[in-house]
Amino acid sequence: MRPVPSIARHRRALGAAALVPLAIVGFAACTLSSPPPAETVLVTVTATPTPTPTPTPTAPVAAPEPPPAPDPVPNDPAPVVEPGPAVDLGSIPGATGTPVLDGDGMPVRYTVVSGDSFFDIAQRFDLPQQQLLRMNPQIHDFGEAVYIGDELNLDWTKTGLG
């Protein structure tokens, strides 16, 4: 037997396939068929922007004019500060001592301790320095020098410690 070239081999295979009855091939094609694919629908959605309302122009509202500042008067006396009772706002640096209180809980006397200053004592008891000086004529140098152990009157109805 002589070798068959490859083209001849393919022809023989095709010829053998041609012998298969057409009825079997047709029947096989009917049973193996699949349902048709679902129809594809393309939808394009376009958003319609809502129009922004156009603002109505309004006239700017002018701020009210502040009243004019009074003209300074040379040598005008300083405002008078009305004296009032001492109120203890609590210990602060420069006024750390413990005040003596009356029956109503109002401070009436304060003893200077180490680190105290006249200014801080006035601040602690919510008193102007001038009022505290008027209430305590025994304090010299406008309160610049207070000493440990000095007693200060905090009762605004009295002058001095007496």
Side-chain angles (χ1 to χ4, degrees):
M1 191 164 159
R2 97 180 180 195
V4 180
S6 65
I7 296 175
R9 224 180 305 157
H10 289 298
R11 283 187 189 153
R12 278 190 208 149
L14 287 175
L19 297 176
V20 177
L22 291 176
I24 295 175
V25 172
F27 180 72
C30 289
T31 58
L32 295 178
S33 68
S34 60
E39 191 175 316
T40 304
V41 179
L42 294 176
V43 178
T44 304
V45 178
T46 305
T48 308
T50 340
T52 346
T54 307
T56 308
T58 57
V61 179
E65 291 291 324
D71 291 331
V73 178
N75 299 324
D76 196 22
V80 177
V81 177
E82 294 295 322
V87 178
D88 189 1
L89 301 177
S91 179
I92 60 171
T96 57
T98 305
V100 176
L101 306 175
D102 66 1
D104 297 329
M106 297 299 292
V108 290
R109 187 167 287 178
Y110 180 81
T111 303
V112 177
V113 296
S114 176
D116 282 358
S117 74
F118 192 79
F119 173 79
D120 291 326
I121 295 168
Q123 292 293 309
R124 174 179 175 174
F125 293 103
D126 196 25
L127 295 170
Q129 283 186 347
Q130 290 300 321
Q131 179 182 345
L132 191 56
L133 282 169
R134 278 192 302 270
M135 292 165 44
N136 293 284
Q138 77 278 9
I139 301 298
H140 301 287
D141 299 327
F142 302 105
E144 291 291 322
V146 288
Y147 300 99
I148 297 173
D150 282 353
E151 288 194 355
L152 300 177
N153 171 34
L154 297 176
D155 184 359
W156 69 290
T157 61
K158 295 185 341 178
T159 300
L161 297 172

